[in-house]
Amino acid sequence: MSTLPQKSQLVVIGAGPGGYSAAFRAAELGLEVTLIDPEINPGGVCLYRGCIPSKALLHVAKLVTEAEESAAIGVTFGNPQLDIDKIRAWKNGVIETLTGGLGGKATKLKLSYVRGTARFKDQQTLVVTTSAGEESELAFEQAILATGSRPVMLPGVETGKRIIDSSGALELEDVPKTLLVVGGGYIGLELGSAYAALGSKVSVVEMTSGLLPGCDRDLVSVLKRRLDKKFEQMLLNTKVAELKVQKNGVTVTFETQKGESSSKRFDKVLIAIGRRPNHENLGLENTAVKVSDKGFVEVDGQQRTAVPHIFAIGDLAGEPMLAHKAYAEAHVAAAVAAGRKAVFDPRAIPAVVFTDPEIAWCGLTETAAREQKLKVKTAKLPWRSNGRTLTLGRDDGITKLIVDAENDRLLGVGLAGPGAGELIAEAVLALEMAATGEDLRSSIHPHPTLSETIFEAAQMLFKA
Ligand code: NAD
């Protein structure tokens, strides 16, 4: 950690994927940078309490599941022996390695990394409270706000030993015998899958009619078919009316859309009903920075807020709340702050749900194409026709391409299947390069790989 300077050319508040990327890039571009965050090293929610620890747990889940399922192809292991303390230590080690590496990079780039929090006194001055409790003023020329988001809670509910949010679930304190996940979105399904593989009986309650709102239903069906076997119960169109914490668990009262009510006891309840941006506690009222009704800081294409020398990026600056969107916005804000020309104007921001199977999509969804009454052609290839899928002992998965019916331009790609999250990168590049269906079918894909499903789906777009 550095000592707090009295003035700074650029201050970045928040050191998650958005904040640390912006700070590093700005330092590389020659700005003198101060990066402020309460944690000992940069990393933010993504590294400490989000993407990385959840992927570590999902890796454990993959090992357990593959070992269980391999009996079907003639390889039998004994029951897995799970040493939760060792798994937790390994996961924490991954986090320490990555965050430590970012701390080292901050030092190498000679930026001032200050442990603490900051709030605006006025549009040119911040009041910084360091983790040691010291308060001092910091004058700045430009600032980038990257304070991220936090889990939404059910009204009147507080987290504790029995009711947890994603951060609590990722601490892996224990593996509850029964776990209710409230919310069938990214976090609920990823963490629900991890705990199910670790041995919990997992139930999911989702208030809408389907899982993963915003994702095409045919992709979701591939996942749901498998989750129906892995999870105890999947309650759709159902809300949680009451949570009663008791000595031996939490009694949950459900209420269906039809008004029917029922109760059940769970050892733990994980609330994963969305995230909200951290715009409070920044002293934005002392600036002319505008905040939308949903709590996002309003920005233009250069990530500038209503105050041109104050930028906002990442979850704080709007949906989708994804680390890779934050990285991209960070590079724009840093470049603009350093006097370069840059704009945030992506054709595709990929979304990946790291369940088993994974779901990934980018560009236009088929649902959106229909809603917008666009003239599109779609090709949908089931993975059971792909050799590599079968050699993995799987037969689930689909690849879907959506192209403009008039000019064959690729508009969107959807994937469901093991490894879909890696495969989607090709689709992002294709969309950014304005590729056509013809481009995809004339590019030689390696055999035998899952990537051939993109090539084969492209062939389906043509009669000859
Ligand atoms: P989400 O928006 O993905 O899903 C929340 C779900 O909860 C929705 O399906 C919603 O209908 C449901 N819901 C809301 N209120 C409810 C209630 N009272 N009872 C039952 N269901 C209710 O939110 P999330 O899963 O909390 O994740 C938050 C954000 O974090 C995501 O939008 C995503 O941007 C990000 N994230 C991304 C990844 C990834 O990239 N793999 C992983 C985790 C989180």
Side-chain angles (χ1 to χ4, degrees), residues 135-156:
E135 207 170 80
S136 46
E137 291 192 2
L138 170 63
F140 65 92
E141 290 171 25
Q142 300 187 89
I144 298 178
L145 311 180
T147 48
S149 63
R150 64 184 183 282
V152 172
M153 256 304 117
L154 286 168

Side-chain angles (χ1 to χ4, degrees), residues 154 183 185-187 190 206-207 213 273-275 321-322 352 354:
L154 286 168
Y186 282 73
I187 295 180
E190 288 184 7
E206 162 61 47
M207 71 175 185
I273 56 170
R275 299 184 62 87
M321 296 199 212
L322 298 171
V352 181
F354 292 89

Side-chain angles (χ1 to χ4, degrees), residues 297-351:
V297 168
E298 293 179 5
V299 291
D300 65 11
Q302 293 189 308
Q303 303 299 136
R304 289 186 199 271
T305 66
V307 181
H309 66 274
I310 302 176
F311 300 77
I313 57 175
D315 289 6
L316 179 68
E319 301 269 11
M321 296 199 212
L322 298 171
H324 44 270
K325 186 212 80 168
Y327 290 137
E329 291 178 339
H331 277 242
V332 170
V336 175
R340 296 200 174 188
K341 284 188 180 150
V343 69
F344 184 72
D345 185 24
R347 271 171 190 262
I349 302 174

Side-chain angles (χ1 to χ4, degrees), residues 2 5 7-13 19-36 106 109-114 138 142 144 334 337:
S2 319
K7 58 184 172 93
S8 188
Q9 268 185 333
L10 177 72
V11 181
V12 181
I13 306 173
Y20 73 70
S21 303
F24 293 172
R25 185 71 192 128
E28 281 161 3
L29 293 174
L31 290 179
E32 174 272 305
V33 181
T34 303
L35 176 60
I36 303 172
L109 286 168
K110 295 191 171 52
L111 52 85
S112 306
Y113 183 70
V114 176
L138 170 63
Q142 300 187 89
I144 298 178

Side-chain angles (χ1 to χ4, degrees), residues 52 56 70 109 179 192 195 216 224 230-231 257 278-279 285 291 301 323 328 337 339 347-348 404 406 423 459:
I52 296 299
S70 62
L109 286 168
L179 174 72
Y195 271 86
D216 278 345
K224 184 158 184 302
K230 303 275 170 197
F231 290 174
Q257 229 171 36
N278 292 326
H279 67 87
E285 62 283 3
V291 179
R347 271 171 190 262
D404 189 317
E406 270 158 23
L423 295 178
Q459 284 184 315

Side-chain angles (χ1 to χ4, degrees), residues 156-167:
V157 173
E158 273 179 29
T159 54
K161 222 174 149 44
R162 298 262 177 206
I163 300 179
I164 52 176
D165 59 15
S166 51
S167 309

